[in-house]
Amino acid sequence: MSDLQRLFSVQCAAFAADRNPSYATRRGRLDRIEALCDAHEAELVEAIAQDFGVRPAQETRLAELFMVRVGVRHARRHLRAWMRSRAVPTPLYLWPGKSRVLRQPLGVVGVISPWNYPVQLALLPAVAALAAGNCVLLKPSELTPRTSALLKDLAAQYFAPGELAVVNGGPDVGTEFSRLPFDHLFFTGSTAVGRKIARAAAEKLTPVTLELGGKSPALIHSDADIAAVAPRLLTGKLLNAGQTCIAPDYVLAPEHRIDALVTEIGKAVAAMYPMPGDNPDYTSIINEHHYSRLTALIEDARRKGAKVVVVDGDGAPQMDRARKMSPTLLIGVKEAMAIMQEEIFGPILPIDSYATLDEAIARINARPRPLSMYMFGGDSAARKRVLCETTAGGVTIDDTLWHFSNESLPFGGVGLSGIGAYHGERGFLTFTHQKAVFVQPRFALTWMLRPPYGRRFETVLSILKKIA
Ligand code: NAD
């Protein structure tokens, strides 16, 4: 029996032994996630930094550990209310019966996570699943081996294997993992692997949540204040050197604003990441493969006619020390360029122009539905049009990324950017079975619909048809 199968059996047995963990048990598990992050912050920061090459401690503390803390605290604050069963109205024809929805754990949940935020994207789904009373088996990414090994050790230190356990490995282990008969499988990663997960899960009819990627647009309205837009746009694009699923992937801007935008982006980079190649606040590209992939995207765009602007603050050439890739703008991009076909996942920002809002909306809708969308500027009518006439997993207006951090907003994709959502109560419900319960009292009128069918039945049904 593999380690994976053994842990799966242990978790199935643990769930069978406690199918409805109490509030105190669940709360204790959430507390332990928080304690794990707090007590091992320095080790987690160091492991991620080593896996990336350079990853500033502040980015890890904000985008990983703080986000997990926000998730834990929000869940803890609302857990009692979330766990409660809900009374729902009962129609007149079932009177005086009572109806309610019981919130019940699903059982054993599998979580597969990616490398780009290796702690947050592993632990936040686990927080939701544990809050909902499930056992969690986690498979983090093989591309962050130190962080994944540390997560395994820490999970073993803070949790019984039946509560939360980690198995490590690459696509082979991932494939075996996705074939297990989990009660729910939660996957964060690429659309290509997401398809494989959905196929494997379909064999067992395992329900899946797929948190995928895609090309998230940033739409700049003609009236936007470009000096205010640039730093906010760049914050979203350059956090983790663009290796963020919800990073703005490309910009749509009116032609006459593009020069100003390029100038302001230069200023914003100089202010935030002067000399990115040497700057300890600027993250490395995760590995050689991704570095070469990004370089090839730039070269393909250059060959096909895009203007390449390397934004270095001091105008120095692009540097690749510690796999640092300078922020790079591509102007005059065309659909035929690879950069406009695939998710970038790096510090390259194509800037495309549009003439009218109708055209911008049509261009966004011509692509697969993105995970996120950003809009800068525009009056309320323009915003309403863009919000209602385009489809994206989530939106931040006049900034980037922040919708992700509000636990009261569901987070997830739509179409090719994902299936299902989590964060806050939406995450709790992802890992919860909402069981319908109807309680029939001793005195009930439904006997009137029983056979033998005749006048009584017809009279009652005709009355019911009127009052239904
Ligand atoms: P990936 O799809 O290559 O890998 C994700 C996980 O799946 C890893 O743990 C990997 O080992 C595992 N895996 C790989 N092949 C598998 C298989 N055949 N069967 C089962 N598991 C398998 O993704 P990645 O490169 O780690 O992450 C980058 C992608 O993730 C980007 O597309 C990004 O947009 C997306 N992403 C999405 C979100 C979100 O919240 N929607 C967040 C972060 C990243």
Side-chain angles (χ1 to χ4, degrees), residues 356-379:
T356 62
L357 197 58
D358 283 335
E359 185 198 333
I361 290 172
R363 298 262 291 280
I364 291 168
N365 288 336
R367 294 182 181 283
R369 293 167 174 181
L371 181 57
S372 297
M373 209 204 73
Y374 303 105
M375 181 175 180
F376 290 91
D379 59 12

Side-chain angles (χ1 to χ4, degrees), residues 152-464:
K152 186 178 165 85
D153 287 351
L154 295 178
Q157 212 173 304
Y158 282 77
F159 290 90
E163 295 176 304
L164 169 69
V166 175
V167 277
N168 278 322
D172 290 357
V173 174
T175 303
E176 192 189 344
F177 192 95
S178 58
R179 288 185 184 144
L180 290 171
F182 284 110
D183 294 297
H184 194 94
L185 190 51
F186 188 103
F187 171 80
T188 305
S190 60
T191 302
V193 175
R195 273 204 183 89
K196 295 184 188 173
I197 301 285
R199 228 176 270 138
E203 281 297 313
K204 302 275 187 321
L205 285 183
T206 302
V208 288
T209 301
L210 302 177
E211 295 283 343
L212 311 175
K215 291 185 82 61
S216 299
L219 172 59
I220 297 179
H221 193 269
S222 56
D223 71 5
D225 173 357
I226 298 294
V229 169
R232 293 181 176 193
L233 179 67
L234 266 287
T235 304
K237 186 68 186 182
L238 298 184
L239 180 78
N240 208 25
Q243 300 164 107
T244 302
C245 56
I246 51 170
D249 185 279
Y250 66 98
V251 168
L252 283 172
E255 181 73 49
H256 68 283
R257 311 300 310 273
I258 290 182
D259 286 347
L261 184 61
V262 172
T263 307
E264 293 301 330
I265 286 176
K267 290 189 205 162
V269 172
M272 286 192 286
Y273 299 103
M275 306 277 291
D278 285 329
N279 192 322
D281 291 344
Y282 191 59
T283 299
S284 305
I285 302 303
I286 186 75
N287 58 27
E288 290 295 332
H289 163 72
H290 280 286
Y291 194 93
S292 320
R293 180 183 64 79
L294 292 167
T295 312
L297 286 177
I298 296 172
E299 283 319 308
D300 174 78
R302 192 199 304 273
R303 237 188 0 262
K304 292 176 180 160
K307 182 176 158 202
V308 179
V309 181
V310 178
V311 192
D312 241 343
D314 64 350
Q318 190 163 323
M319 282 172 279
D320 63 356
R321 264 166 286 166
R323 293 187 308 281
K324 297 262 198 120
M325 174 166 277
S326 293
T328 303
L329 308 181
L330 299 177
I331 296 149
V333 284
K334 299 190 186 71
E335 282 304 310
M337 297 172 181
I339 196 98
M340 295 312 284
Q341 298 299 325
E342 59 182 80
E343 179 184 15
I344 299 170
F345 228 56
I348 310 169
L349 187 63
I351 300 177
D352 203 354
S353 63
Y354 70 88
T356 62
L357 197 58
D358 283 335
E359 185 198 333
I361 290 172
R363 298 262 291 280
I364 291 168
N365 288 336
R367 294 182 181 283
R369 293 167 174 181
L371 181 57
S372 297
M373 209 204 73
Y374 303 105
M375 181 175 180
F376 290 91
D379 59 12
S380 61
R383 288 177 176 192
K384 189 170 173 195
R385 277 204 62 197
V386 171
L387 283 175
C388 297
E389 294 176 30
T390 64
T391 306
V395 176
T396 289
I397 302 262
D398 278 339
D399 209 334
T400 51
L401 311 185
W402 288 106
H403 63 282
F404 176 93
S405 71
N406 182 354
E407 288 283 313
S408 299
L409 291 173
F411 178 75
V414 55
L416 290 189
S417 60
I419 297 173
Y422 70 131
H423 285 198
E425 188 172 20
R426 186 63 181 81
F428 181 91
L429 292 177
T430 287
F431 297 109
T432 294
H433 172 54
Q434 301 198 63
K435 183 185 272 178
V437 180
F438 175 68
V439 182
Q440 186 74 293
R442 195 176 162 78
F443 166 76
L445 296 172
T446 43
W447 67 268
M448 288 197 269
L449 290 167
R450 284 186 205 140
Y453 298 129
R455 278 232 342 249
R456 184 192 69 226
F457 178 91
E458 294 304 334
T459 310
V460 172
L461 188 60
S462 72
I463 294 170
L464 290 185

Side-chain angles (χ1 to χ4, degrees), residues 102-117:
L102 186 71
R103 295 182 161 194
Q104 194 170 39
L106 291 175
V108 180
V109 163
V111 174
I112 301 180
S113 56
W115 54 265
N116 61 325
Y117 290 94

